[in-house]
Amino acid sequence: KGLLQILNSKNTMSKQQRGAVYVKSAVGEVAVSVYTIEGKRMASVPVVMDGIVAEGLSKGIYVVKLIGNTICLSRKVVMDE
């Protein structure tokens, strides 16, 4: 719901998708990057509207950065499984 959804494995993903970050955008295509809290880039997808952008992430805190024509934001995601 809303213009943008960022889900981690706890939010509705199956066990096969644990450690994944899923992005769904209602504002069009966005570029997505996933970083550790220390700043190491773990994944980068140049164009996505709906899909998994990172998989196999360990427990920890990550920052998901999104850039699109009408949006630029960062969100913290906690992987706890």
Side-chain angles (χ1 to χ4, degrees), residues 56-76:
L57 298 174
S58 302
K59 286 183 181 182
I61 300 171
Y62 296 87
V63 177
V64 179
K65 294 186 179 184
L66 302 105
I67 300 173
N69 287 335
T70 60
I71 194 166
C72 181
L73 59 86
S74 297
R75 292 288 186 263
K76 180 175 76 171

Side-chain angles (χ1 to χ4, degrees), residues 33-61:
S33 296
V34 179
Y35 297 87
T36 64
I37 200 71
E38 294 85 19
K40 179 181 176 187
R41 186 170 61 191
M42 301 301 290
S44 184
V45 179
V47 177
V48 67
M49 285 185 65
D50 184 3
I52 293 175
V53 296
E55 295 180 280
L57 298 174
S58 302
K59 286 183 181 182
I61 300 171

